Amino acid sequence: MAAKLIDNFWRGKKVFITGHTGFKGSWLSLWLLSLGADVTGYALHPPTKPSLFELCGLSKSIHSVIGDVRDEEKLRKVLIQADPDIIFHLAAQPLVNQSYQTPVETYAVNVMGTIHLLEAVKSLAVNTNRIRAVINITSDKCYENKEWNWGYREIDRLGGYDPYSNSKACSELVTCSYRNSFFNPDNYESHGIGLATARAGNVIGGGDFAKDRLIPDCIRSFLIGEKLKIRNPGAVRPWQHVLEPLGGYLMLAEKLYSEGRTYGEAWNFGPFDDDTKSVEWIIKKMIKKWDNDISYDLQQASGLHEAKNLKLDCSKAIEELGWHPRWNIDQAIDKVIEWAIAYRDGQEIKKICLNQISEYI
């Protein structure tokens, strides 16, 4: 059973999410609302138009604050006001290609944004013991990629070739330093906070409208009937439905809340090896499942470095958290297509998302 959550654990819990207006943040907000949590979000305006956040009307369902994690003072004030039990840090500049164009912004958001949040947590912990769990969501790309055919483990070396990947490795190191210095498990009684990081694979799902990402590019081409243009068809990635890692984050948060001394570490949440597929495999599967004929062209690579092979070893989460993937890649693509057709046909998007969450759990 994937994502086996504790009955009624989230009901009434105060949860703070940075990056709640993004793709993953919106899905997480919806899931937490369905579990009865009291959610406060802190993020920039939705990064795309349309956006899942707006399609689901989430601004009416949670306490949504528009703010930048680079604004340390505002972030601190909003966090103090929210006074949460649990924090999920998702705010980020999330695109590899954009990181080549805006490296300073990428590091400022992904590294200094993490520091600003942890500084706010540290200052709040002095005055209240309410915060029990903090999870910094980073990326599978934080590892020093050696193009291995086996998955990276949490103990493998961090690195990151491009500014995005490297900034996520830096965010991991920052979190480790703050855990050792200020939230050390050996002194758990003094602060009561479990601090962890989570590294997911390439997430897919309905409501992702980002540029230069494979699934959103596919859906856009499908909806307007244009020939799909793809680069790096042989690149292999650990594809997974967005609900897979989110379920892992929720399970990890529950453990951190009750046993923060033990679970404050780094965690991988990726698919099984059989679901680690090439870009072209995903394209062909998407086209086969769509209800209209779509063709595609293979484009010349941009010249910017992108990893060719990337896998995650999730043995730790499987053995120590009891988490494991529930939807294989074929099922995950089914859910993406289902969502896209519902969007095309003008169906109620919030209802579609909640139905998929219900089916998943």
Side-chain angles (χ1 to χ4, degrees):
M1 177 71 69
K4 178 63 177 176
L5 303 177
I6 299 172
D7 289 343
N8 297 317
F9 172 89
W10 293 94
R11 187 163 303 281
K13 288 288 190 305
K14 299 178 73 174
V15 182
F16 188 84
I17 304 174
T18 69
H20 69 291
T21 59
F23 166 58
K24 287 177 75 174
S26 295
W27 273 102
L28 180 59
S29 297
L30 275 173
W31 196 340
L32 285 166
L33 285 172
S34 74
L35 294 172
D38 178 4
V39 179
T40 296
Y42 181 92
L44 298 175
H45 290 285
T48 61
K49 282 194 173 295
S51 71
L52 184 62
F53 181 79
E54 292 174 334
L55 289 171
C56 291
L58 280 167
S59 62
K60 301 175 183 177
S61 304
I62 68 174
H63 180 50
S64 177
V65 178
I66 300 301
D68 195 321
V69 291
R70 290 171 290 184
D71 187 340
E72 182 177 6
E73 187 56 33
K74 181 173 183 178
L75 177 59
R76 186 195 308 272
K77 288 180 180 178
V78 175
L79 185 65
I80 290 172
Q81 186 175 14
D83 193 24
D85 300 289
I86 296 167
I87 298 172
F88 295 97
H89 178 46
L90 285 82
Q93 190 298 94
L95 302 175
V96 171
N97 281 357
Q98 185 176 329
S99 76
Y100 281 110
Q101 301 168 27
T102 59
V104 175
E105 176 187 357
T106 299
Y107 281 102
V109 174
N110 294 355
V111 183
M112 290 308 300
T114 300
I115 292 172
H116 292 163
L117 175 68
L118 294 177
E119 277 292 301
V121 171
K122 181 161 66 74
S123 64
L124 192 58
V126 172
N127 301 311
T128 176
N129 288 325
R130 178 156 197 143
I131 299 176
R132 300 287 296 278
V134 181
I135 302 178
N136 177 20
I137 312 303
T138 63
S139 170
D140 57 344
K141 297 175 181 64
C142 69
Y143 292 104
E144 180 180 350
N145 194 329
K146 297 181 181 295
E147 305 291 353
W148 287 332
N149 289 321
W150 54 87
Y152 292 92
R153 301 166 299 168
E154 290 86 349
I155 59 174
D156 285 327
R157 184 183 177 93
L158 301 177
Y161 185 103
D162 56 86
Y164 166 75
S165 303
N166 184 257
S167 71
K168 286 301 190 177
C170 291
S171 181
E172 286 275 352
L173 292 171
V174 163
T175 307
C176 183
S177 175
Y178 268 74
R179 180 169 53 239
N180 291 337
S181 302
F182 309 112
F183 309 111
N184 195 300
D186 292 339
N187 302 320
Y188 183 72
E189 287 78 9
S190 66
H191 54 77
I193 295 174
L195 173 59
T197 57
R199 306 158 183 176
N202 279 44
V203 296
I204 64 175
D208 187 358
F209 295 97
K211 293 181 179 179
D212 295 324
R213 279 222 284 254
L214 180 62
I215 301 302
D217 287 347
C218 283
I219 298 301
R220 274 188 289 269
S221 294
F222 291 168
L223 291 177
I224 62 179
E226 280 189 356
K227 181 175 286 190
L228 179 62
K229 299 176 182 179
I230 65 171
R231 66 185 192 278
N232 300 326
V236 174
R237 296 289 184 270
W239 310 96
Q240 60 186 154
H241 194 276
V242 64
L243 294 181
E244 300 283 11
L246 294 184
Y249 305 161
L250 292 173
M251 292 183 72
L252 176 57
E254 291 179 354
K255 291 290 189 180
L256 286 170
Y257 186 88
S258 59
E259 302 176 60
R261 185 198 304 274
T262 303
Y263 291 90
E265 300 175 338
W267 299 84
N268 286 342
F269 297 101
F272 290 126
D273 279 353
D274 288 346
D275 292 326
T276 301
K277 303 292 187 183
S278 72
V279 166
E280 191 165 14
W281 188 96
I282 296 292
I283 293 290
K284 290 179 178 178
K285 184 65 70 170
M286 291 279 291
I287 290 172
K288 185 177 180 180
K289 290 178 178 290
W290 192 250
D291 58 359
N292 287 317
D293 291 333
I294 296 292
S295 59
Y296 66 93
D297 281 336
L298 302 181
Q299 298 260 295
Q300 188 172 19
S302 65
L304 299 175
H305 176 274
E306 291 191 65
K308 294 182 177 63
N309 196 35
L310 181 59
K311 295 181 180 180
L312 289 175
D313 183 330
C314 301
S315 301
K316 180 180 173 182
I318 292 170
E319 294 176 9
E320 298 184 27
L321 292 178
W323 172 92
H324 60 74
R326 179 163 186 168
W327 285 345
N328 62 33
I329 185 59
D330 204 58
Q331 292 169 301
I333 291 175
D334 282 342
K335 293 304 175 185
V336 173
I337 297 296
E338 176 186 84
W339 192 101
I341 291 174
Y343 171 73
R344 181 195 65 185
D345 295 346
Q347 296 182 34
E348 184 183 345
I349 293 303
K350 183 177 181 180
K351 182 177 179 181
I352 295 297
C353 292
L354 290 173
N355 285 345
Q356 290 193 350
I357 291 171
S358 179
E359 290 171 19
Y360 179 80
I361 61 175

